[in-house]
Coordinates of all heavy atoms in Angstrom, one line a residue:
C486 N 170.8 82.4 275.5 CA 170.7 81.0 275.9 C 171.2 80.7 277.3 O 170.6 79.9 278.0 CB 171.3 80.1 274.8 SG 170.6 80.2 273.2
S487 N 172.4 81.2 277.6 CA 173.0 80.9 278.8 C 172.2 81.2 280.1 O 172.3 80.6 281.1 CB 174.4 81.6 278.9 OG 174.2 83.0 278.9
S488 N 171.3 82.2 279.9 CA 170.5 82.6 281.1 C 169.3 81.7 281.4 O 168.7 81.7 282.5 CB 170.0 84.0 280.9 OG 169.1 84.1 279.8
F489 N 169.0 80.8 280.4 CA 167.9 79.8 280.7 C 168.2 78.4 280.3 O 167.4 77.5 280.2 CB 166.6 80.3 280.0 CG 166.7 80.5 278.5 CD1 166.4 79.4 277.6 CD2 166.9 81.7 278.0 CE1 166.5 79.6 276.3 CE2 167.0 81.9 276.6 CZ 166.8 80.8 275.7
Q490 N 169.5 78.2 280.0 CA 170.0 76.9 279.6 C 169.6 75.8 280.7 O 169.4 74.6 280.3 CB 171.5 76.9 279.4 CG 172.1 75.7 278.7 CD 172.0 75.9 277.1 OE1 171.5 76.9 276.6 NE2 172.6 75.0 276.4
N491 N 169.6 76.2 281.9 CA 169.4 75.3 283.0 C 168.0 74.6 282.9 O 167.7 73.6 283.5 CB 169.5 76.0 284.3 CG 168.5 77.1 284.5 OD1 168.4 78.0 283.7 ND2 167.7 77.0 285.6
R492 N 167.1 75.3 282.2 CA 165.7 74.8 282.1 C 165.4 73.9 281.0 O 164.4 73.1 281.0 CB 164.7 76.0 282.0 CG 164.8 76.9 283.2 CD 163.6 77.9 283.1 NE 162.4 77.3 283.5 CZ 161.2 77.8 283.2 NH1 161.1 79.0 282.6 NH2 160.1 77.2 283.6
I493 N 166.3 73.9 280.0 CA 166.0 73.1 278.7 C 167.0 72.0 278.5 O 166.8 71.2 277.5 CB 166.0 74.1 277.5 CG1 167.3 74.9 277.3 CG2 164.8 75.0 277.6 CD1 167.3 75.7 276.1
H494 N 168.1 71.9 279.3 CA 169.0 70.8 279.1 C 169.5 70.4 280.5 O 169.9 71.2 281.3 CB 170.3 71.3 278.3 CG 169.9 71.7 276.9 ND1 169.5 70.8 276.0 CD2 170.0 72.9 276.3 CE1 169.3 71.4 274.8 NE2 169.6 72.7 275.0
N495 N 169.5 69.1 280.8 CA 169.9 68.5 282.1 C 169.3 69.3 283.3 O 170.0 69.7 284.2 CB 171.5 68.6 282.2 CG 172.2 67.8 281.1 OD1 171.7 66.7 280.7 ND2 173.3 68.3 280.6
F496 N 168.0 69.4 283.2 CA 167.3 70.1 284.3 C 167.6 69.5 285.7 O 167.9 70.2 286.6 CB 165.8 70.2 284.0 CG 165.0 70.9 285.1 CD1 165.2 72.3 285.3 CD2 164.1 70.2 285.9 CE1 164.4 72.9 286.3 CE2 163.4 70.8 286.9 CZ 163.6 72.2 287.1
N497 N 167.4 68.2 285.8 CA 167.7 67.5 287.0 C 167.9 66.0 286.7 O 167.9 65.6 285.5 CB 166.6 67.7 288.1 CG 165.2 67.2 287.7 OD1 165.1 66.3 286.8 ND2 164.2 67.8 288.2
S498 N 168.0 65.2 287.7 CA 168.3 63.8 287.5 C 167.1 63.0 286.9 O 167.3 61.9 286.3 CB 168.8 63.1 288.8 OG 167.7 63.2 289.7
T499 N 166.0 63.6 287.0 CA 164.8 62.9 286.5 C 164.3 63.5 285.1 O 163.8 62.8 284.3 CB 163.6 63.1 287.5 OG1 164.0 62.6 288.7 CG2 162.4 62.3 287.0
H500 N 164.4 64.8 284.9 CA 164.0 65.4 283.7 C 165.1 66.2 283.0 O 165.8 66.9 283.6 CB 162.8 66.4 284.0 CG 161.6 65.8 284.7 ND1 161.5 65.7 286.1 CD2 160.5 65.3 284.2 CE1 160.4 65.1 286.4 NE2 159.7 64.8 285.2
D501 N 165.1 66.0 281.7 CA 166.1 66.8 280.9 C 165.6 68.2 280.7 O 166.4 69.1 280.7 CB 166.3 66.1 279.5 CG 167.4 66.8 278.7 OD1 168.4 67.2 279.3 OD2 167.3 66.9 277.5
V502 N 164.3 68.4 280.7 CA 163.7 69.7 280.5 C 162.8 70.0 281.7 O 162.1 69.1 282.3 CB 162.8 69.8 279.2 CG1 162.1 71.1 279.1 CG2 163.7 69.5 278.0
D503 N 162.8 71.2 282.2 CA 162.0 71.7 283.3 C 160.5 71.3 283.0 O 159.9 71.8 282.0 CB 162.1 73.2 283.4 CG 161.3 73.7 284.6 OD1 160.5 73.0 285.2 OD2 161.6 74.9 285.0
P504 N 159.9 70.4 283.8 CA 158.5 70.0 283.5 C 157.5 71.1 283.6 O 156.3 70.9 283.1 CB 158.3 68.9 284.5 CG 159.2 69.2 285.6 CD 160.4 69.7 284.9
S505 N 157.8 72.2 284.2 CA 156.9 73.3 284.3 C 156.8 74.1 282.9 O 155.8 74.9 282.7 CB 157.3 74.3 285.4 OG 158.5 75.0 285.1
L506 N 157.7 73.9 282.0 CA 157.7 74.5 280.7 C 156.6 73.8 279.8 O 156.6 72.6 279.8 CB 159.0 74.4 280.0 CG 160.1 75.5 280.4 CD1 161.4 75.1 279.8 CD2 159.7 76.9 280.0

Side-chain angles (χ1 to χ4, degrees):
C486 296
S487 58
S488 61
F489 57 88
Q490 195 86 354
N491 65 303
R492 301 189 73 194
I493 58 175
H494 299 291
N495 297 324
F496 179 68
N497 58 30
S498 59
T499 307
H500 300 91
D501 188 34
V502 176
D503 184 345
S505 66
L506 281 170

